[in-house]
Amino acid sequence: LKPSAARRSTLGFRSPLRSATPRGLLVAMGGSERMIDRAEALKGRPEKMEVSEKHYVLGTPMEGPWPPAMKVLVLASGCFWGSEKGVWRLPGGGIYSTAVGYAAGYTPNPTYQDVGSGRTGSTEAVQIVYDPSKISAVDILRWFWESHDPTQGMGQGNDRGTMYRSGLYYFDEEQKQLFEASKAAYEMALRAAGRGRGRGGITTEILPASDFEQVFYYAEDYHQQYLAKPGARPYCSAQPQEVSLPPYEEWVPADFTPEQKEFHAPKLPEEFWEEHGPTPHCVIRSPNAPIEWASRPGQDDGSKL
């Protein structure tokens, strides 16, 4: 069940300059809030990161090629441990696979230590492979906006630095329009509610994936589905503002065709969000398996236009 806001806890907060390695050692991470220039970036390496063949929770492939019907989203909302878990738990079987990694940077195949140095330009991110016949990009975007505070600039909660900035990276014009329209709608909702730590509005960067030689690089295998693994620290720095994304019909891009509007319409009903919408620390308290949710008679799926 959706936890009460009155039960907010500080459980699991880590120093903004420290992160755990697989052996439990602590190293300085992510302190710089200044974006570097490409010329300053670490050179990286040609070898890609090795990850497990199968998703630890879903049992699906971790790497492509993906089935033809699948779509891909790349988003960043602070520490990627909790960001990934929140998405893989979305119901209905629409989330085919998720992975954490480093996005929107200059350094090829960076390591966690590289990114933490502030010298790659990368942000911690989640790659989401989903079936649009079962879950909509709009459902995933709603989770994205509501599961963190997108006004915090170079950081999220106690985690500060460029590697924790909020971002959305689009692969086509439809994604761009959805990202920008939902951002504008959520910014108005936050302002109306008087929420958000930042005073200048939403700071989420929205950039084309084509701006980068490769927009997403896999993180180390120990980071993949980290919060589901034995011995994981129950940590998530996300700062949900408990403000809902306005209804789709209020912000759907005006130049979408009727077919596009229907294709991207949300499939998760409002009742789902009332019961399972993001609240502080809900991810670390929740089970690892996807949420079980079946449409109930008379429920509005949120897709009426």
Side-chain angles (χ1 to χ4, degrees), residues 203-284:
T203 58
T204 303
E205 63 181 10
I206 298 177
L207 298 172
S210 59
D211 275 4
F212 308 91
E213 292 184 12
Q214 184 171 319
V215 71
F216 178 87
Y217 292 95
Y218 284 83
E220 292 82 349
D221 194 57
Y222 71 88
H223 282 303
Q224 306 299 335
Q225 299 87 57
Y226 173 81
L227 290 177
K229 293 177 178 175
R233 275 194 310 141
Y235 175 77
C236 180
S237 64
Q239 303 281 293
Q241 296 300 291
E242 298 180 274
V243 173
S244 297
L245 179 68
Y248 175 62
E249 61 269 21
E250 294 182 10
W251 58 265
V252 59
D255 59 352
F256 268 18
T257 66
E259 292 76 18
Q260 287 175 310
K261 291 179 180 179
E262 182 178 357
F263 181 81
H264 293 293
K267 293 178 172 57
L268 295 176
E270 194 61 33
E271 288 81 0
F272 168 81
W273 297 99
E274 290 172 359
E275 186 170 342
H276 295 286
T279 58
H281 306 291
C282 65
V283 168
I284 58 175

Coordinates of all heavy atoms in Angstrom, one line a residue, residues 203-284:
T203 N 14.5 21.6 -13.6 CA 15.8 21.7 -14.2 C 16.1 20.4 -15.0 O 17.3 20.3 -15.5 CB 16.8 21.8 -13.0 OG1 16.7 20.7 -12.1 CG2 16.7 23.1 -12.3
T204 N 15.2 19.5 -15.1 CA 15.5 18.3 -15.9 C 15.9 18.7 -17.3 O 15.3 19.4 -18.0 CB 14.2 17.5 -16.0 OG1 13.7 17.2 -14.7 CG2 14.4 16.2 -16.8
E205 N 17.1 18.1 -17.8 CA 17.5 18.3 -19.1 C 16.8 17.3 -20.1 O 16.6 16.2 -19.7 CB 19.0 18.2 -19.2 CG 19.6 16.8 -18.9 CD 21.1 16.8 -19.0 OE1 21.8 17.8 -19.2 OE2 21.7 15.6 -19.0
I206 N 16.4 17.8 -21.2 CA 15.8 17.0 -22.3 C 16.6 17.2 -23.5 O 16.7 18.3 -24.1 CB 14.3 17.5 -22.5 CG1 13.5 17.3 -21.2 CG2 13.7 16.7 -23.7 CD1 12.0 17.7 -21.4
L207 N 17.3 16.1 -23.9 CA 18.3 16.2 -25.0 C 18.1 15.0 -26.0 O 17.6 13.9 -25.5 CB 19.7 16.1 -24.4 CG 20.1 17.3 -23.5 CD1 21.5 17.0 -22.9 CD2 20.1 18.6 -24.2
P208 N 18.4 15.2 -27.2 CA 18.4 14.1 -28.2 C 19.5 13.1 -27.9 O 20.6 13.5 -27.7 CB 18.5 14.8 -29.5 CG 19.2 16.0 -29.2 CD 18.8 16.5 -27.9
A209 N 19.2 11.8 -28.0 CA 20.2 10.8 -27.8 C 21.3 10.9 -28.9 O 22.4 10.6 -28.7 CB 19.5 9.4 -27.9
S210 N 20.9 11.5 -30.0 CA 21.8 11.6 -31.1 C 22.9 12.7 -30.8 O 23.9 12.8 -31.6 CB 21.1 12.0 -32.4 OG 20.4 13.2 -32.2
D211 N 22.8 13.4 -29.8 CA 23.8 14.4 -29.4 C 25.1 13.7 -28.9 O 26.1 14.3 -28.8 CB 23.3 15.3 -28.2 CG 22.6 16.5 -28.8 OD1 22.4 16.6 -30.0 OD2 22.2 17.4 -27.9
F212 N 25.0 12.4 -28.6 CA 26.1 11.6 -28.0 C 26.5 10.4 -28.9 O 25.6 9.9 -29.6 CB 25.6 11.1 -26.6 CG 25.1 12.2 -25.7 CD1 23.7 12.5 -25.7 CD2 25.9 13.0 -25.0 CE1 23.2 13.5 -24.9 CE2 25.4 14.0 -24.2 CZ 24.1 14.2 -24.1
E213 N 27.7 10.1 -28.9 CA 28.2 9.0 -29.7 C 27.4 7.7 -29.2 O 27.0 6.9 -30.0 CB 29.7 8.7 -29.5 CG 30.5 9.8 -30.1 CD 32.0 9.6 -30.0 OE1 32.4 8.4 -29.6 OE2 32.8 10.5 -30.2
Q214 N 27.1 7.6 -27.9 CA 26.3 6.6 -27.4 C 25.7 7.2 -26.1 O 26.4 7.6 -25.2 CB 27.1 5.3 -27.1 CG 26.3 4.1 -26.5 CD 27.1 2.9 -26.4 OE1 27.9 2.5 -27.3 NE2 26.9 2.1 -25.3
V215 N 24.4 7.2 -26.1 CA 23.8 8.0 -25.0 C 23.8 7.2 -23.6 O 23.8 7.8 -22.6 CB 22.3 8.4 -25.3 CG1 21.4 7.2 -25.3 CG2 21.8 9.5 -24.4
F216 N 23.8 5.9 -23.7 CA 23.7 5.1 -22.5 C 24.8 4.0 -22.5 O 24.9 3.2 -23.5 CB 22.3 4.4 -22.4 CG 22.1 3.5 -21.2 CD1 21.7 4.0 -20.0 CD2 22.4 2.1 -21.3 CE1 21.5 3.2 -18.9 CE2 22.2 1.3 -20.2 CZ 21.8 1.8 -19.0
Y217 N 25.5 3.9 -21.4 CA 26.5 2.8 -21.2 C 26.1 2.1 -19.9 O 25.8 2.7 -18.9 CB 27.9 3.4 -21.0 CG 28.5 4.0 -22.2 CD1 28.4 5.4 -22.5 CD2 29.2 3.3 -23.2 CE1 28.9 6.0 -23.6 CE2 29.7 3.9 -24.4 CZ 29.6 5.2 -24.5 OH 30.1 5.8 -25.7
Y218 N 26.2 0.7 -20.0 CA 25.8 -0.1 -18.8 C 26.8 0.2 -17.7 O 28.0 0.3 -17.9 CB 25.9 -1.6 -19.2 CG 24.7 -2.0 -20.0 CD1 24.7 -1.9 -21.4 CD2 23.6 -2.7 -19.4 CE1 23.6 -2.3 -22.2 CE2 22.5 -3.1 -20.2 CZ 22.5 -2.9 -21.5 OH 21.4 -3.3 -22.3
A219 N 26.2 0.2 -16.5 CA 27.0 0.3 -15.3 C 27.5 -1.1 -14.9 O 27.0 -2.2 -15.5 CB 26.2 0.8 -14.1
E220 N 28.3 -1.2 -13.9 CA 28.9 -2.5 -13.4 C 27.7 -3.4 -13.0 O 26.7 -3.0 -12.6 CB 29.8 -2.3 -12.2 CG 31.1 -1.5 -12.6 CD 30.9 0.0 -12.6 OE1 29.8 0.5 -12.6 OE2 31.9 0.7 -12.7
D221 N 28.0 -4.7 -13.2 CA 26.9 -5.7 -12.9 C 26.4 -5.7 -11.5 O 25.2 -5.9 -11.2 CB 27.5 -7.1 -13.2 CG 26.3 -8.2 -13.3 OD1 25.4 -8.0 -14.1 OD2 26.4 -9.1 -12.5
Y222 N 27.2 -5.3 -10.5 CA 26.8 -5.3 -9.1 C 25.7 -4.2 -8.9 O 25.0 -4.2 -8.0 CB 27.9 -5.1 -8.1 CG 28.6 -3.8 -8.1 CD1 28.2 -2.8 -7.3 CD2 29.8 -3.6 -8.8 CE1 28.9 -1.6 -7.2 CE2 30.5 -2.4 -8.8 CZ 30.0 -1.4 -7.9 OH 30.7 -0.2 -7.9
H223 N 25.7 -3.2 -9.8 CA 24.7 -2.1 -9.7 C 23.4 -2.5 -10.3 O 22.3 -1.9 -10.0 CB 25.2 -0.8 -10.4 CG 26.2 0.0 -9.7 ND1 25.9 0.5 -8.4 CD2 27.4 0.4 -10.0 CE1 27.0 1.2 -8.0 NE2 27.9 1.1 -9.0
Q224 N 23.4 -3.5 -11.2 CA 22.1 -3.9 -11.9 C 21.2 -4.6 -10.9 O 21.5 -5.5 -10.2 CB 22.5 -4.9 -13.0 CG 23.5 -4.4 -14.0 CD 23.1 -3.1 -14.7 OE1 21.9 -2.8 -14.9 NE2 24.0 -2.3 -15.2
Q225 N 19.9 -4.0 -10.8 CA 18.9 -4.5 -9.9 C 19.5 -4.6 -8.5 O 19.1 -5.5 -7.7 CB 18.3 -5.9 -10.4 CG 17.7 -5.8 -11.7 CD 18.7 -6.1 -12.9 OE1 19.4 -7.1 -12.9 NE2 18.8 -5.1 -13.8
Y226 N 20.3 -3.6 -8.1 CA 21.0 -3.7 -6.9 C 20.1 -3.9 -5.7 O 20.4 -4.7 -4.8 CB 21.8 -2.4 -6.7 CG 22.4 -2.3 -5.3 CD1 23.6 -2.9 -5.0 CD2 21.8 -1.5 -4.3 CE1 24.2 -2.8 -3.7 CE2 22.4 -1.4 -3.0 CZ 23.6 -2.0 -2.8 OH 24.1 -2.0 -1.5
L227 N 19.0 -3.2 -5.6 CA 18.1 -3.2 -4.4 C 17.4 -4.6 -4.2 O 16.8 -4.8 -3.2 CB 17.1 -2.1 -4.4 CG 17.7 -0.7 -4.2 CD1 16.6 0.4 -4.3 CD2 18.4 -0.6 -2.9
A228 N 17.4 -5.4 -5.2 CA 16.8 -6.8 -5.1 C 17.8 -7.8 -4.7 O 17.4 -9.0 -4.4 CB 16.2 -7.2 -6.5
K229 N 19.1 -7.5 -4.6 CA 20.1 -8.5 -4.3 C 20.4 -8.7 -2.8 O 20.3 -7.7 -2.1 CB 21.4 -8.2 -5.1 CG 21.2 -8.3 -6.6 CD 22.4 -7.8 -7.4 CE 22.2 -8.0 -8.9 NZ 23.4 -7.5 -9.7
P230 N 20.8 -9.9 -2.4 CA 21.1 -10.1 -1.0 C 22.2 -9.1 -0.5 O 23.2 -8.9 -1.2 CB 21.6 -11.5 -1.0 CG 20.9 -12.2 -2.2 CD 20.9 -11.1 -3.2
G231 N 22.0 -8.6 0.7 CA 23.0 -7.7 1.2 C 23.0 -6.3 0.8 O 23.8 -5.4 1.2
A232 N 22.0 -5.9 -0.1 CA 21.9 -4.6 -0.6 C 21.6 -3.6 0.5 O 20.8 -3.9 1.4 CB 20.8 -4.5 -1.7
R233 N 22.2 -2.4 0.5 CA 21.8 -1.4 1.4 C 20.5 -0.7 1.0 O 20.4 -0.4 -0.1 CB 22.9 -0.3 1.5 CG 24.1 -0.6 2.4 CD 24.9 0.7 2.6 NE 25.3 1.3 1.4 CZ 25.3 2.7 1.2 NH1 24.9 3.5 2.2 NH2 25.6 3.2 0.0
P234 N 19.5 -0.6 1.9 CA 18.2 0.0 1.6 C 18.3 1.5 1.4 O 17.9 2.3 2.3 CB 17.3 -0.4 2.7 CG 18.3 -0.5 3.9 CD 19.6 -1.0 3.3
Y235 N 18.9 1.9 0.3 CA 19.2 3.4 0.1 C 18.5 3.9 -1.1 O 18.6 3.3 -2.2 CB 20.7 3.6 0.0 CG 21.0 5.1 -0.3 CD1 20.9 6.0 0.7 CD2 21.2 5.5 -1.6 CE1 21.1 7.4 0.4 CE2 21.5 6.8 -1.9 CZ 21.4 7.8 -0.8 OH 21.6 9.1 -1.1
C236 N 17.8 5.0 -1.0 CA 17.3 5.8 -2.1 C 17.2 7.2 -1.7 O 16.5 7.5 -0.7 CB 15.9 5.2 -2.5 SG 15.2 6.1 -3.9
S237 N 17.8 8.1 -2.5 CA 17.8 9.5 -2.1 C 16.7 10.3 -2.8 O 16.6 11.6 -2.7 CB 19.1 10.2 -2.5 OG 19.3 10.1 -4.0
A238 N 15.8 9.7 -3.6 CA 14.8 10.4 -4.3 C 13.9 11.2 -3.4 O 13.6 10.8 -2.3 CB 14.0 9.4 -5.2
Q239 N 13.4 12.3 -3.9 CA 12.5 13.2 -3.1 C 11.2 13.4 -3.8 O 10.9 14.5 -4.3 CB 13.3 14.5 -3.0 CG 14.6 14.5 -2.4 CD 14.6 14.3 -0.9 OE1 14.2 15.3 -0.2 NE2 15.0 13.2 -0.4
P240 N 10.3 12.4 -3.8 CA 9.0 12.6 -4.4 C 8.2 13.7 -3.8 O 8.3 13.9 -2.5 CB 8.3 11.2 -4.1 CG 9.4 10.3 -3.9 CD 10.5 11.0 -3.2
Q241 N 7.6 14.6 -4.6 CA 6.9 15.7 -4.0 C 5.4 15.5 -3.8 O 4.7 16.4 -3.4 CB 7.1 16.9 -5.0 CG 8.5 17.3 -5.2 CD 9.1 17.8 -3.8 OE1 8.7 18.8 -3.3 NE2 10.0 17.0 -3.3
E242 N 4.9 14.3 -4.1 CA 3.5 13.9 -3.8 C 2.6 14.8 -4.5 O 1.6 15.2 -4.0 CB 3.3 13.7 -2.4 CG 4.1 12.6 -1.7 CD 3.9 12.5 -0.2 OE1 4.5 13.2 0.6 OE2 3.1 11.6 0.1
V243 N 3.0 15.2 -5.8 CA 2.1 16.0 -6.7 C 1.9 15.2 -7.9 O 2.9 14.7 -8.5 CB 2.8 17.3 -7.0 CG1 2.0 18.1 -8.0 CG2 3.0 18.2 -5.7
S244 N 0.7 15.1 -8.3 CA 0.4 14.3 -9.5 C 0.6 15.0 -10.8 O 0.4 16.2 -10.9 CB -1.1 13.8 -9.5 OG -1.4 13.0 -8.3
L245 N 1.1 14.2 -11.8 CA 1.1 14.7 -13.2 C -0.3 15.0 -13.6 O -1.2 14.1 -13.5 CB 1.8 13.7 -14.1 CG 1.9 14.1 -15.6 CD1 2.9 15.3 -15.8 CD2 2.4 12.9 -16.4
P246 N -0.6 16.1 -14.2 CA -2.0 16.4 -14.6 C -2.5 15.4 -15.7 O -1.6 14.7 -16.3 CB -1.9 17.8 -15.3 CG -0.8 18.5 -14.5 CD 0.2 17.3 -14.3
P247 N -3.8 15.2 -15.8 CA -4.3 14.2 -16.7 C -3.8 14.4 -18.2 O -3.6 15.5 -18.6 CB -5.8 14.5 -16.7 CG -6.0 15.1 -15.3 CD -4.8 15.9 -15.1
Y248 N -3.5 13.3 -18.8 CA -3.0 13.3 -20.2 C -3.7 14.2 -21.1 O -3.1 14.9 -21.9 CB -3.0 11.8 -20.6 CG -2.6 11.6 -22.1 CD1 -1.2 11.8 -22.5 CD2 -3.4 11.0 -23.0 CE1 -0.8 11.5 -23.8 CE2 -3.0 10.7 -24.3 CZ -1.7 10.9 -24.7 OH -1.3 10.6 -25.9
E249 N -5.0 14.2 -21.1 CA -5.8 15.0 -22.1 C -5.5 16.5 -21.9 O -5.8 17.3 -22.8 CB -7.3 14.7 -22.0 CG -7.9 15.0 -20.6 CD -7.9 13.8 -19.7 OE1 -7.1 12.9 -19.9 OE2 -8.7 13.9 -18.7
E250 N -5.0 16.9 -20.8 CA -4.7 18.3 -20.5 C -3.4 18.8 -21.1 O -3.2 20.0 -21.3 CB -4.7 18.6 -19.0 CG -6.1 18.5 -18.4 CD -6.1 18.8 -16.9 OE1 -5.1 19.4 -16.4 OE2 -7.1 18.5 -16.2
W251 N -2.5 17.8 -21.4 CA -1.2 18.3 -21.9 C -0.7 17.5 -23.1 O 0.4 17.7 -23.6 CB -0.1 18.1 -20.8 CG 0.1 16.8 -20.2 CD1 -0.6 16.3 -19.0 CD2 0.9 15.7 -20.7 NE1 -0.2 15.0 -18.8 CE2 0.7 14.6 -19.8 CE3 1.7 15.6 -21.8 CZ2 1.4 13.4 -20.0 CZ3 2.4 14.4 -22.0 CH2 2.2 13.3 -21.1
V252 N -1.5 16.5 -23.6 CA -1.0 15.8 -24.8 C -0.6 16.7 -25.9 O -1.3 17.7 -26.1 CB -2.2 14.8 -25.3 CG1 -3.4 15.5 -25.6 CG2 -1.7 14.0 -26.4
P253 N 0.5 16.5 -26.6 CA 0.9 17.5 -27.6 C -0.2 17.8 -28.6 O -0.9 16.9 -29.2 CB 2.1 16.7 -28.3 CG 2.7 15.9 -27.2 CD 1.5 15.5 -26.4
A254 N -0.4 19.0 -28.9 CA -1.6 19.5 -29.7 C -1.5 19.0 -31.1 O -2.6 18.8 -31.8 CB -1.6 21.0 -29.7
D255 N -0.3 18.8 -31.6 CA -0.2 18.3 -33.0 C -0.1 16.8 -33.2 O 0.1 16.3 -34.3 CB 1.0 19.0 -33.7 CG 2.3 18.7 -33.1 OD1 2.3 18.1 -32.0 OD2 3.4 19.0 -33.6
F256 N -0.3 16.1 -32.1 CA -0.5 14.6 -32.3 C -1.7 14.3 -33.1 O -2.8 14.9 -32.9 CB -0.5 14.0 -30.9 CG 0.8 13.5 -30.3 CD1 2.0 14.0 -30.8 CD2 0.8 12.6 -29.3 CE1 3.2 13.7 -30.3 CE2 2.0 12.2 -28.7 CZ 3.2 12.7 -29.2
T257 N -1.6 13.3 -33.9 CA -2.8 12.8 -34.6 C -3.6 12.0 -33.6 O -3.2 11.6 -32.6 CB -2.4 11.9 -35.8 OG1 -1.7 10.7 -35.2 CG2 -1.4 12.6 -36.7
P258 N -4.9 11.7 -34.0 CA -5.7 10.8 -33.1 C -5.1 9.5 -32.9 O -5.2 8.9 -31.8 CB -7.0 10.7 -33.9 CG -7.1 11.9 -34.7 CD -5.7 12.3 -35.1
E259 N -4.4 8.9 -33.9 CA -3.7 7.7 -33.7 C -2.5 7.8 -32.7 O -2.3 6.9 -31.9 CB -3.2 7.2 -35.0 CG -4.2 6.8 -36.0 CD -4.9 7.9 -36.7 OE1 -4.4 9.1 -36.6 OE2 -6.0 7.8 -37.3
Q260 N -1.8 8.8 -32.8 CA -0.7 9.1 -31.8 C -1.2 9.2 -30.4 O -0.7 8.7 -29.4 CB 0.1 10.3 -32.2 CG 1.0 10.1 -33.4 CD 1.7 11.3 -33.9 OE1 1.1 12.4 -34.0 NE2 3.0 11.3 -34.1
K261 N -2.3 10.0 -30.3 CA -2.9 10.2 -29.0 C -3.3 8.9 -28.3 O -3.1 8.7 -27.1 CB -4.1 11.2 -29.1 CG -3.7 12.6 -29.4 CD -4.9 13.5 -29.5 CE -4.5 14.9 -29.9 NZ -5.7 15.8 -30.0
E262 N -4.0 8.1 -29.1 CA -4.4 6.8 -28.6 C -3.3 5.9 -28.3 O -3.3 5.2 -27.3 CB -5.3 6.1 -29.7 CG -5.9 4.8 -29.2 CD -6.8 4.1 -30.2 OE1 -7.1 4.7 -31.2 OE2 -7.3 3.0 -29.9
F263 N -2.2 5.9 -29.1 CA -1.1 5.0 -28.9 C -0.4 5.3 -27.6 O 0.0 4.4 -26.9 CB -0.1 5.1 -30.1 CG 1.1 4.3 -30.0 CD1 1.1 2.9 -30.3 CD2 2.3 4.8 -29.5 CE1 2.2 2.1 -30.2 CE2 3.5 4.0 -29.4 CZ 3.4 2.6 -29.7
H264 N -0.3 6.6 -27.3 CA 0.5 7.0 -26.1 C -0.4 7.2 -24.8 O 0.1 7.5 -23.7 CB 1.2 8.3 -26.3 CG 2.3 8.1 -27.3 ND1 3.5 7.3 -27.1 CD2 2.5 8.6 -28.6 CE1 4.3 7.4 -28.1 NE2 3.7 8.1 -29.1
A265 N -1.7 7.0 -25.0 CA -2.6 7.2 -23.8 C -2.2 6.2 -22.7 O -1.8 5.1 -22.9 CB -4.0 6.9 -24.2
P266 N -2.3 6.7 -21.4 CA -2.0 5.9 -20.3 C -2.8 4.6 -20.2 O -4.0 4.6 -20.5 CB -2.2 6.8 -19.1 CG -3.1 7.9 -19.6 CD -2.8 8.0 -21.0
K267 N -2.2 3.6 -19.7 CA -2.9 2.3 -19.5 C -3.1 2.0 -18.0 O -3.9 1.1 -17.6 CB -2.1 1.2 -20.2 CG -2.2 1.3 -21.7 CD -1.4 0.2 -22.4 CE -1.6 0.3 -23.9 NZ -1.2 1.6 -24.5
L268 N -2.4 2.7 -17.1 CA -2.6 2.5 -15.7 C -3.7 3.5 -15.2 O -3.6 4.7 -15.4 CB -1.3 2.7 -14.9 CG -0.2 1.7 -15.2 CD1 1.1 2.1 -14.5 CD2 -0.6 0.3 -14.8
P269 N -4.7 3.0 -14.5 CA -5.8 3.9 -14.1 C -5.4 4.7 -12.9 O -4.4 4.5 -12.2 CB -6.9 2.8 -13.7 CG -6.1 1.7 -13.2 CD -4.9 1.6 -14.1
E270 N -6.2 5.7 -12.6 CA -6.0 6.7 -11.5 C -6.0 5.9 -10.2 O -5.2 6.3 -9.3 CB -7.0 7.8 -11.5 CG -6.7 8.9 -10.6 CD -5.4 9.6 -11.1 OE1 -5.1 9.7 -12.3 OE2 -4.6 10.1 -10.2
E271 N -6.8 4.9 -10.1 CA -6.8 4.1 -8.8 C -5.5 3.5 -8.5 O -5.1 3.3 -7.4 CB -7.9 3.0 -8.9 CG -9.3 3.5 -8.9 CD -9.8 4.1 -10.2 OE1 -9.0 4.0 -11.2 OE2 -11.0 4.6 -10.3
F272 N -4.7 3.1 -9.6 CA -3.4 2.6 -9.3 C -2.5 3.6 -8.7 O -1.8 3.3 -7.7 CB -2.7 2.1 -10.7 CG -1.3 1.8 -10.5 CD1 -0.8 0.6 -10.0 CD2 -0.3 2.8 -10.9 CE1 0.5 0.3 -9.8 CE2 1.0 2.5 -10.7 CZ 1.5 1.3 -10.2
W273 N -2.5 4.8 -9.2 CA -1.7 5.9 -8.7 C -2.1 6.3 -7.2 O -1.2 6.6 -6.4 CB -1.7 7.1 -9.6 CG -1.1 6.7 -10.9 CD1 -1.8 6.4 -12.1 CD2 0.3 6.5 -11.3 NE1 -1.0 6.1 -13.1 CE2 0.3 6.2 -12.6 CE3 1.4 6.7 -10.6 CZ2 1.5 5.9 -13.3 CZ3 2.6 6.5 -11.2 CH2 2.7 6.1 -12.6
E274 N -3.4 6.2 -7.0 CA -3.8 6.5 -5.6 C -3.3 5.5 -4.6 O -3.0 5.9 -3.5 CB -5.4 6.6 -5.6 CG -6.0 7.7 -6.3 CD -7.5 7.6 -6.4 OE1 -8.0 6.6 -5.9 OE2 -8.1 8.5 -7.0
E275 N -3.1 4.3 -5.0 CA -2.7 3.2 -4.1 C -1.2 3.0 -4.1 O -0.6 2.8 -3.1 CB -3.4 1.9 -4.5 CG -3.1 0.8 -3.5 CD -3.9 -0.4 -3.7 OE1 -5.0 -0.3 -4.4 OE2 -3.6 -1.5 -3.2
H276 N -0.6 3.2 -5.3 CA 0.9 2.9 -5.5 C 1.7 4.0 -5.9 O 2.9 3.8 -6.2 CB 1.0 1.7 -6.4 CG 0.4 0.4 -6.0 ND1 1.0 -0.3 -5.0 CD2 -0.7 -0.2 -6.3 CE1 0.2 -1.4 -4.8 NE2 -0.8 -1.3 -5.6
G277 N 1.2 5.2 -6.0 CA 2.0 6.4 -6.5 C 3.2 6.6 -5.6 O 3.2 6.3 -4.4
P278 N 4.3 7.2 -6.1 CA 5.5 7.4 -5.3 C 5.3 8.3 -4.1 O 4.7 9.3 -4.2 CB 6.5 8.1 -6.3 CG 5.9 7.7 -7.7 CD 4.4 7.6 -7.5
T279 N 5.9 7.9 -3.0 CA 6.0 8.6 -1.8 C 7.5 8.5 -1.3 O 8.2 7.5 -1.7 CB 5.0 8.2 -0.7 OG1 5.3 6.8 -0.4 CG2 3.6 8.4 -1.1
P280 N 7.9 9.3 -0.4 CA 9.3 9.2 0.1 C 9.6 7.8 0.6 O 8.9 7.2 1.4 CB 9.4 10.3 1.2 CG 8.5 11.3 0.7 CD 7.3 10.5 0.2
H281 N 10.7 7.2 0.1 CA 11.2 5.9 0.6 C 10.3 4.7 0.3 O 10.5 3.6 0.8 CB 11.5 5.9 2.1 CG 12.5 7.0 2.4 ND1 13.8 7.1 2.0 CD2 12.3 8.2 3.1 CE1 14.4 8.2 2.4 NE2 13.5 8.9 3.1
C282 N 9.3 4.9 -0.6 CA 8.4 3.8 -0.9 C 9.1 2.7 -1.7 O 8.8 1.5 -1.5 CB 7.2 4.3 -1.8 SG 7.6 4.9 -3.4
V283 N 10.2 3.0 -2.4 CA 10.9 2.0 -3.2 C 11.6 1.1 -2.3 O 11.6 -0.2 -2.5 CB 11.8 2.7 -4.2 CG1 12.7 1.6 -4.8 CG2 11.0 3.3 -5.3
I284 N 12.3 1.6 -1.3 CA 13.2 0.7 -0.5 C 12.3 -0.1 0.5 O 12.7 -1.1 1.0 CB 14.2 1.5 0.3 CG1 13.6 2.6 1.2 CG2 15.3 2.1 -0.6 CD1 14.6 3.3 2.1

